[in-house]
């Protein structure tokens, strides 16, 4: 029984590392997608688009690992929390990859014209930076189960929300000179970054649940 339990724990650790690798991949994807967006770089956008399939494959592999863990032995409560929460975490990570993909596809669709007017370039540069930093911090949370770091992500997300609000203020200004089509692109792009950050926070919340059995804010 002890040997089986040790093998089970090893697989749990391997699973966590797999999710950490996925998080690293989506963090790099959003960083590259942002660079492609800012520079109208079609080659870089295509790299993000091509890599998305690997993120999807990694999510499927994570699910297979989870089902194998469930079949290995009847999990106790803590282990069951780990496996079920990790399945949801893999879904969050795949969605983060899709959001980076949407940014890259916007760049490709508008190429060779740049997507962003000069007025909002700095906003998106900052949104990309925050998204990448949130993703990297979420990766560390997954690998270390650091609860303090997990709670920091909740606060870090506020910076993305503030950038998103500022973006809307710029577009709603009577001085906005760029018309409807750029405004639609910018609205969607802003939402992609905001949702990326939301999923990073959700990942951190799942880690808190894995370790403590309670979601942040629960009594």
């Amino acid at each position: 029984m002890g040997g089986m339990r040790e093998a089970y724990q090893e697989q749990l650790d391997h699973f966590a590392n797999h999710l950490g690798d996925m998080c690293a991949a989506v963090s790099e994807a959003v960083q590259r997608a942002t660079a492609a967006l800012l520079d109208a770089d079609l080659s870089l956008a295509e790299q993000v688009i091509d890599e998305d399939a690997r993120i999807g494959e990694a999510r499927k592999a994570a699910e297979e690992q989870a089902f194998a863990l469930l079949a290995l032995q009847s999990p106790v409560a803590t282990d069951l929390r780990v496996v079920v929460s990790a399945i949801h975490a893999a879904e969050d990570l795949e969605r983060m990859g899709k959001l980076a993909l949407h940014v890259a596809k916007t760049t490709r669709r508008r190429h060779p014209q740049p997507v962003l007017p000069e007025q909002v370039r700095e906003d998106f540069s900052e949104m990309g930076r925050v998204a990448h930093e949130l993703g990297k911090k979420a990766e560390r949370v997954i690998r270390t189960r650091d609860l303090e770091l997990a709670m920091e992500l909740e606060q870090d997300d506020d910076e993305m929300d503030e950038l998103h609000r500022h973006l809307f203020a710029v577009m709603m200004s009577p001085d906005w000179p760029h018309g409807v089509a750029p405004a639609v692109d910018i609205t969607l792009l802003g939402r992609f970054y905001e949702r990326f950050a939301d999923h990073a926070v959700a990942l951190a919340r799942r880690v808190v649940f894995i370790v403590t059995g309670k979601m942040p804010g629960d009594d």
Side-chain angles (χ1 to χ4, degrees):
M1 182 66 69
M4 180 177 290
R5 182 66 192 169
E6 184 176 339
Y8 188 77
Q9 187 59 51
E10 287 178 358
Q11 289 195 38
L12 284 175
D13 292 342
H14 179 71
F15 194 8
N17 285 331
H18 181 82
L19 292 175
D21 291 343
M22 283 186 68
C23 201
V26 300
S27 300
E28 183 177 356
V30 77
Q31 184 179 46
R32 288 183 176 182
T34 301
L37 178 68
L38 293 171
D39 298 334
D41 188 329
L42 180 60
S43 176
L44 198 54
E46 293 286 4
Q47 288 181 35
V48 176
I49 293 166
D50 291 343
E51 287 294 319
D52 179 67
R54 295 187 182 181
I55 294 171
E57 291 169 0
R59 193 269 304 168
K60 291 178 183 177
E63 287 186 349
E64 290 173 0
Q65 288 184 42
F67 294 139
L69 283 167
L70 291 172
L72 183 63
Q73 69 180 54
S74 298
V76 297
T78 301
D79 295 337
L80 188 59
R81 286 202 303 268
V82 171
V83 175
V84 173
S85 296
I87 292 172
H88 291 303
E91 294 170 354
D92 283 320
L93 286 162
E94 183 180 37
R95 186 58 189 152
M96 290 165 76
K98 292 298 182 189
L99 292 163
L101 172 70
H102 294 333
V103 174
K105 283 187 171 181
T106 303
T107 298
R108 183 173 69 177
R109 185 172 67 252
R110 296 301 185 192
H111 191 268
Q113 298 301 317
V115 179
L116 302 177
E118 189 63 33
Q119 285 168 282
V120 297
R121 280 180 54 83
E122 183 61 28
D123 293 276
F124 279 99
S125 177
E126 284 298 295
M127 291 175 89
R129 177 189 61 78
V130 173
H132 179 250
E133 289 179 357
L134 283 167
K136 295 302 292 181
K137 185 172 286 189
E139 178 192 352
R140 295 199 301 275
V141 169
I142 290 169
R143 295 191 191 279
T144 65
R145 299 189 186 183
D146 185 326
L147 297 184
E148 183 176 344
L149 194 62
M151 298 303 294
E152 284 181 15
L153 264 81
E154 298 264 2
Q155 299 173 2
D156 294 344
D157 183 47
D158 292 342
E159 186 175 0
M160 182 68 81
D161 291 339
E162 181 59 33
L163 287 165
H164 196 229
R165 284 191 291 270
H166 180 260
L167 190 64
F168 268 89
V170 172
M171 286 191 298
M172 294 301 292
S173 169
D175 298 329
W176 177 257
H178 303 291
V180 174
V184 170
D185 280 340
I186 291 164
T187 299
L188 290 173
L189 286 164
R191 182 61 173 162
F192 298 153
Y193 282 98
E194 183 190 39
R195 290 300 296 149
F196 187 99
D198 288 344
H199 282 289
V201 172
L203 281 169
R205 290 172 64 86
R206 295 191 197 286
V207 172
V208 173
F209 179 69
I210 287 169
V211 175
T212 67
K214 294 182 179 180
M215 294 297 284
D218 287 351
D219 293 332

